[in-house]
C-alpha cells in the first residue's frame, strides 16, 4: 500500500457505496477502479467521484493491466440466492458472476497474498453460503443494518480485514471477525420528514386496489382470521422475516418503537380514508379513535405474489429496501378515525441506507429508489472498514 492511500478495485460498483464508506471512514484512496455496466449508475457515480476509473463489465477486468490492488470490494448480484426470488442459486447467470469476483481475487493474490477483500450478499440457503465460504476461504458474519439505521436489512459479509481461527477435530476454520456495531436504536419515526408532498400518498383508488388484492386468510393465525388490508400477520416482506407478537395491537401503542404520537402533518389535498371501512376494527381497538393524536406505523406495500396489501412491521423499522418497485417501504398515518398511506421519499430511503447528505443525486427518482435498493448500507461498510490496519 502506498503512503498516498489505498488502491481499490470495486466490482459491481453501482452508486459507489464503497467509495462513500471509504470517505466517511476517513481512509485515503490513491486510486479507485470501478467495474459497472449500468449506465445510470455510472452517470450517478462520476459527478460524486470524478477520479473513479471505470472498467466496464467484470468479465472484462484484467488484473494484469491494473496497478497493485490493496483492497477488493463488491456485492455480487444476489437475485439467484435471495429468499424473495426463485432461488436459482448458481444457475442464475447473475449469481454466477460471483466466480468472476473469485477469479479476480485469485489473480490479485498471485502478487499480493495479503490483499484485503470484502464481499457482501443476501442471506441464503446454507448450502449456497458454504460454496461461497469455501471459495473465499472463510465464513461470513451476518450484520443487520437495523443496528445502525431504521431499516431491517440482514446481509452476509465475507472479509479478511479481521479474522479469527477456530480449531476443531479436522484442523481449523477461518471466520470473519467483525463485531456487530452498537445498536443506535434508530426507528422509522426518527427519519421521517414531517411535511411530504401529496404525490407520495396513495390515492383512494390505489388503496381500494390493495384492499381487493388482500383477500386471503392465514389459518395458522386465528386471532386475525378476517381478511383485510391491514391484517397483522407474520409475513415474508421484502427479503426479511419479522417477528410477530400477538394478539392485541394495543400492546404496541405503549411501545414507542412502532406506533407513536407524532408531529407528522398531512397535506390538505390528501383525502382521508375512513379507517373503519377497511380495518375490520383491528387497529381501532387499540387506538384512541375520536382523538386528535397522530400515529405512524411502519410497514411495506407488498406485491400480489406475496399476498398484497400493507404489512405492518412490529419492530418499528422499515422493510428492506428493494431494487424493484413491486414491494416498497411505506408508512401508515392514523389520526382519529382517518388514515393515509404513503411510500417513503427518496430522501428518507437515503437515510435508511445511511447515505450522507453530501452525496449528490442527479438521476431520476425511480433510478434513485433502484440504486438504493441495490446498494449497501454505508455505515455498515464504514464499520467494517474501521478494522483496516493502515
Amino acid at each position: 500500500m502506498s503512503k498516498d492511500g489505498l488502491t481499490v478495485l470495486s466490482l459491481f460498483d453501482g452508486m459507489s457505496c464503497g467509495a462513500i464508506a471509504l470517505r466517511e471512514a476517513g481512509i485515503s484512496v490513491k486510486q479507485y477502479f470501478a467495474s459497472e455496466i449500468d449506465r445510470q449508475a455510472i452517470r450517478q457515480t462520476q459527478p460524486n467521484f470524478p477520479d473513479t476509473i471505470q472498467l466496464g463489465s467484470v468479465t472484462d477486468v484484467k488484473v494484469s493491466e491494473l496497478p497493485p490492488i490493496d483492497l477488493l470490494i463488491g456485492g455480487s448480484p444476489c437475485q439467484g440466492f435471495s429468499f424473495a426470488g426463485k432461488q436459482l442459486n448458481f444457475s442464475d447467470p447473475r449469481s454466477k458472476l460471483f466466480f468472476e469476483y473469485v477469479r479476480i481475487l485469485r489473480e490479485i493474490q498471485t502478487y499480493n497474498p495479503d490483499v484485503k477483500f470484502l464481499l457482501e450478499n443476501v442471506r441464503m440457503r446454507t448450502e449456497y453460503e458454504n460454496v461461497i465460504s469455501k471459495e473465499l476461504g472463510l465464513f461470513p458474519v451476518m450484520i443487520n443494518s437495523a443496528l445502525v439505521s431504521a431499516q431491517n436489512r440482514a446481509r452476509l459479509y465475507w472479509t479478511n480485514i479481521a479474522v479469527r481461527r477456530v480449531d476443531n477435530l479436522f484442523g481449523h476454520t477461518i471466520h470473519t471477525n467483525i463485531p456487530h456495531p452498537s445498536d443506535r436504536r434508530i426507528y422509522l419515526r426518527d427519519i421521517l420528514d414531517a411535511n411530504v408532498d401529496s404525490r407520495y400518498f396513495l390515492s383512494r383508488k390505489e388503496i381500494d386496489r390493495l384492499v381487493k388484492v388482500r383477500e386471503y386468510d392465514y389459518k395458522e393465525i386465528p386471532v386475525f382470521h378476517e381478511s383485510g388490508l391491514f391484517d397483522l400477520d407474520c409475513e415474508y416482506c421484502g427479503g426479511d422475516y419479522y417477528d410477530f407478537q400477538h394478539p392485541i395491537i394495543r400492546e404496541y401503542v405503549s411501545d414507542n418503537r412502532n406506533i407513536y404520537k407524532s408531529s407528522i402533518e398531512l397535506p390538505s389535498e390528501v383525502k382521508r380514508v375512513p379507517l373503519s371501512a377497511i380495518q375490520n376494527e383491528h387497529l381501532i381497538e387499540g387506538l384512541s379513535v375520536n382523538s386528535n393524536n397522530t400515529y405512524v406505523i411502519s410497514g411495506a406495500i407488498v406485491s400480489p405474489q406475496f399476498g398484497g396489501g400493507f404489512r405492518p412491521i412490529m419492530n418499528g423499522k422499515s422493510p428492506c429496501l428493494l431494487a424493484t418497485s413491486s414491494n416498497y417501504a411505506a408508512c401508515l398515518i392514523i389520526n382519529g378515525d382517518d388514515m393515509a398511506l404513503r411510500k417513503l421519499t427518496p430522501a428518507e430511503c437515503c437515510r435508511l441506507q445511511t447515505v450522507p447528505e453530501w452525496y449528490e443525486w442527479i438521476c431520476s427518482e425511480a433510478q434513485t429508489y433502484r440504486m438504493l435498493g441495490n446498494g449497501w448500507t454505508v455505515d455498515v461498510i464504514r464499520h467494517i472498514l474501521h478494522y483496516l490496519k493502515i
Side-chain angles (χ1 to χ4, degrees):
M1 182 185 68
S2 168
K3 63 179 181 180
D4 298 327
L6 295 174
T7 299
V8 181
L9 174 55
S10 173
L11 307 180
F12 322 104
D13 187 62
M15 55 176 280
S16 279
C17 288
I20 300 173
L22 285 162
R23 180 178 294 185
E24 288 290 290
I27 297 174
S28 178
V29 175
K30 180 181 179 181
Q31 286 183 296
Y32 188 96
F33 295 90
S35 172
E36 181 56 63
I37 60 173
D38 186 328
R39 293 182 180 179
Q40 292 298 323
I42 295 172
R43 178 172 173 265
Q44 176 60 47
T45 292
Q46 291 306 124
N48 285 281
F49 302 101
D51 294 331
T52 295
I53 303 171
Q54 295 288 343
L55 302 177
S57 172
V58 66
T59 59
D60 297 329
V61 173
K62 295 180 174 60
V63 172
S64 60
E65 298 177 356
L66 302 176
I69 300 298
D70 302 307
L71 175 65
L72 175 68
I73 61 176
S76 57
C78 62
Q79 291 88 343
F81 302 122
S82 175
F83 288 112
K86 297 180 180 179
Q87 296 185 59
L88 297 176
N89 59 81
F90 294 106
S91 298
D92 190 306
R94 294 165 296 185
S95 295
K96 285 182 179 178
L97 292 174
F98 158 72
F99 293 105
E100 290 296 320
Y101 182 100
V102 174
R103 171 186 68 83
I104 291 168
L105 175 60
R106 296 284 182 269
E107 292 178 6
I108 296 172
Q109 288 174 329
T110 59
Y111 67 79
N112 182 10
D114 297 322
V115 61
K116 300 304 179 184
F117 65 83
L118 168 64
L119 177 76
E120 176 264 10
N121 217 305
V122 297
R123 291 184 301 171
M124 62 188 74
R125 294 172 64 95
T126 302
E127 59 192 280
Y128 310 145
E129 179 185 323
N130 287 341
V131 170
I132 295 176
S133 297
K134 182 179 179 180
E135 292 289 339
L136 297 180
L138 50 72
F139 291 94
V141 61
M142 194 277 285
I143 299 177
N144 194 329
S145 299
L147 292 171
V148 299
S149 78
Q151 177 190 190
N152 283 298
R153 192 183 189 88
R155 290 293 184 266
L156 297 173
Y157 300 90
W158 288 262
T159 181
N160 65 345
I161 289 174
V163 299
R164 60 186 170 89
R165 172 177 169 148
V166 177
D167 295 322
N168 53 55
L169 291 175
F170 305 99
H172 68 273
T173 54
I174 305 298
H175 295 255
T176 296
N177 195 33
I178 301 294
H180 284 180
S182 300
D183 188 352
R184 298 178 185 174
R185 300 187 179 278
I186 303 173
Y187 300 98
L188 186 68
R189 66 168 185 253
D190 301 314
I191 63 94
L192 292 179
D193 289 320
N195 297 291
V196 172
D197 191 278
S198 60
R199 63 193 175 92
Y200 294 104
F201 287 80
L202 275 69
S203 67
R204 177 59 188 266
K205 183 178 180 180
E206 290 172 315
I207 292 177
D208 287 343
R209 188 181 302 119
L210 288 175
V211 175
K212 185 176 181 180
V213 168
R214 191 77 167 91
E215 292 178 350
Y216 71 101
D217 294 336
Y218 271 107
K219 303 302 181 184
E220 66 270 26
I221 306 180
V223 175
F224 296 119
H225 63 277
E226 295 180 25
S227 200
L229 174 59
F230 302 104
D231 287 356
L232 297 178
D233 51 22
C234 179
E235 175 59 26
Y236 186 75
C237 178
D240 290 301
Y241 284 97
Y242 303 105
D243 294 333
F244 173 68
Q245 302 174 31
H246 64 291
I248 310 274
I249 187 61
R250 66 166 62 94
E251 295 176 5
Y252 295 103
V253 176
S254 61
D255 187 338
N256 264 357
R257 293 178 305 171
N258 189 47
I259 301 177
Y260 63 98
K261 296 180 181 179
S262 171
S263 60
I264 297 292
E265 299 178 13
L266 296 179
S268 58
E269 63 268 35
V270 172
K271 183 177 180 180
R272 276 67 165 172
V273 178
L275 186 63
S276 58
I278 54 179
Q279 280 294 109
N280 294 323
E281 298 185 349
H282 291 169
L283 288 176
I284 290 179
E285 179 182 3
L287 291 174
S288 300
V289 298
N290 302 322
S291 75
N292 292 321
N293 293 327
T294 299
Y295 298 87
V296 176
I297 302 175
S298 61
I301 301 296
V302 183
S303 67
Q305 73 178 110
F306 292 119
F310 173 81
R311 303 299 172 82
I313 296 177
M314 290 307 154
N315 63 6
K317 303 282 187 172
S318 85
C320 178
L321 297 182
L322 300 178
T324 64
S325 59
S326 56
N327 296 2
Y328 54 87
C331 61
L332 175 68
I333 302 173
I334 302 174
N335 188 299
D337 290 333
D338 295 335
M339 59 78 67
L341 185 61
R342 74 166 175 87
K343 63 180 181 180
L344 302 188
T345 68
E348 291 165 339
C349 290
C350 281
R351 293 172 197 142
L352 295 179
Q353 285 289 56
T354 62
V355 175
E357 292 186 3
W358 58 256
Y359 187 83
E360 180 184 2
W361 287 96
I362 63 171
C363 64
S364 67
E365 279 196 357
Q367 292 293 338
T368 300
Y369 284 122
R370 182 178 67 85
M371 291 181 197
L372 288 169
N374 277 329
W376 288 342
T377 304
V378 171
D379 280 1
V380 172
I381 305 303
R382 181 173 68 170
H383 170 76
I384 294 172
L385 294 175
H386 171 74
Y387 292 89
L388 270 174
K389 295 180 180 179
I390 301 175

